[in-house]
Amino acid sequence: MGKKRKHSETVVAPPKKDMSAAERPTRTLLGWKDKSEEVNKESVSTVFRNKEKVLVTCSRRINYRYRHLMLNVVSLLPHCKKDNKVESKASKGTTLNELVELKGGSSCLFFECRKHKDLYLWMAKCPNGPSVKFLVNAVHTMEELKLTGNHLKGSRPILTFSDNFDKDAHWKLLKEMIIQIFGIPKEHRKSKPYHDHVFVFSIVDDHIWFRNYQISVPHIESDKVARGGLENMTLVEVGPRFCLNPIKIFGGSFGGPTLYENPFYISPNQIRALEKRKKAGKYAKKVKAKTRRKMHELSNPLEPDEFADMWKE
């Protein structure tokens, strides 16, 4: 039999080399992606990126004119998503919040039509709020205005506000909501990287008036505008036009605690009732005038005419 080796004589085997192939970089449509690039992109992704998406829809039995206004708004906002009509009931808030969640959005514009006459606009941040209810007046769509302005579809607008928005707290809140909903995110896949039109929001008589203007720049070689030369730029109106009368601001989405209520708001039903009363007053005046005339004739009868029966023979 062979002798046993001592422990001191045992030779330690060298560690085996890893013969497996190196990990291949991930392949993309633009080529091979390196790990160092991935690390750099992760560090860059910490910067805030606006991913705002707006759901635009309307209620059933909407007027054709208000439907055209909604389609004009959809054409101005490339980051919005359209959906089917929603029944304007008490439970519309939960339905719209579910639709916004399914579409992956964060805001909602809901055009609600009542009695085929009155248009209300709900502007809401979903699902936690706040939300605003407006009465829409002085509606003029692009089709009926036929203005000469024409800007690129999908381009990003410049939002301008009047100085009144910085006076009160509720105007500041409305300004922030308008910026988030009407401001098109940078590098959105459906938007163009140009600023060639302006959205103007101005407060007159406690109403928000909306206008859309094209920034017109001369393209003739002799009249070309230098960078920053605003003197030669002109604004040409494109449309649509509408006026927003704020009714209430709610703390939640399509409801919740009331944060602000407009003390000067008069509903269209009250205005129509007053007009009917005025018309009814005119009729009542006519009836009273007739009765007064009859009473006057009875109290002051005409004297008999002596020549009345002269030609009867």
Side-chain angles (χ1 to χ4, degrees), residues 56-255:
V56 181
T57 184
C58 63
S59 62
R60 295 191 181 279
R61 295 173 291 277
I62 192 171
N63 197 352
Y64 73 95
R65 197 175 184 196
Y66 299 148
R67 190 181 71 251
H68 290 175
L69 175 68
M70 184 193 72
L71 294 174
N72 291 161
V73 172
V74 168
S75 66
L76 292 176
L77 304 177
H79 66 299
C80 77
K81 294 189 174 183
K82 259 196 330 178
D83 205 86
N84 297 331
K85 295 178 181 178
V86 177
E87 196 69 44
S88 59
K89 293 180 180 177
S91 62
K92 64 176 178 289
T94 53
T95 308
L96 288 166
N97 284 329
E98 287 176 6
L99 284 173
V100 172
E101 189 179 354
L102 287 170
K103 293 282 183 180
S106 54
S107 306
C108 181
L109 289 174
F110 178 57
F111 292 84
E112 185 179 7
C113 187
R114 297 279 183 90
K115 297 185 176 180
H116 299 277
K117 298 176 183 177
D118 310 323
L119 180 66
Y120 297 92
L121 173 63
W122 284 87
M123 195 182 291
K125 298 292 293 180
C126 301
N128 299 321
S131 57
V132 194
K133 186 179 182 182
F134 296 101
L135 175 68
V136 186
N137 293 319
V139 174
H140 299 283
T141 60
M142 288 184 188
E143 290 79 10
E144 69 184 38
L145 285 173
K146 295 182 180 177
L147 296 166
T148 55
N150 183 22
H151 60 76
L152 188 68
K153 187 175 181 180
S155 59
R156 299 177 66 208
I158 298 170
L159 303 180
T160 60
F161 296 88
S162 60
D163 298 334
N164 311 355
F165 276 97
D166 297 325
K167 282 186 178 179
D168 299 321
H170 64 279
W171 292 123
K172 289 180 183 177
L173 176 62
L174 291 176
K175 179 181 178 182
E176 184 59 35
M177 288 187 69
I178 290 169
I179 288 171
Q180 291 186 21
I181 291 174
F182 285 88
I184 298 170
K186 188 180 180 183
E187 296 177 358
H188 189 271
R189 61 189 182 86
K190 288 187 179 179
S191 69
K192 311 290 190 303
Y194 313 111
H195 293 279
D196 65 344
H197 63 290
V198 184
F199 287 168
V200 181
F201 297 91
S202 51
I203 299 173
V204 181
D205 297 332
D206 292 325
H207 291 58
I208 300 174
W209 297 79
F210 173 82
R211 294 290 184 271
N212 178 26
Y213 296 98
Q214 176 201 356
I215 303 171
S216 180
V217 183
H219 293 286
I220 306 167
E221 200 66 37
S222 58
D223 297 336
K224 270 198 172 178
V225 178
R227 188 179 288 274
L230 300 175
E231 296 83 9
N232 297 327
M233 293 185 185
T234 55
L235 294 178
V236 184
E237 190 173 353
V238 182
R241 296 176 181 174
F242 55 87
C243 170
L244 301 175
N245 183 10
I247 303 170
K248 278 187 181 182
I249 300 177
F250 299 98
S253 178
F254 297 99

Side-chain angles (χ1 to χ4, degrees), residues 25-45:
T26 53
R27 189 172 186 178
T28 62
L29 293 171
L30 302 175
W32 299 97
K33 190 190 287 184
D34 198 8
K35 280 190 175 181
S36 59
E37 292 179 8
E38 290 180 9
V39 172
N40 293 334
K41 281 192 177 180
E42 284 176 5
S43 61
V44 172
S45 64

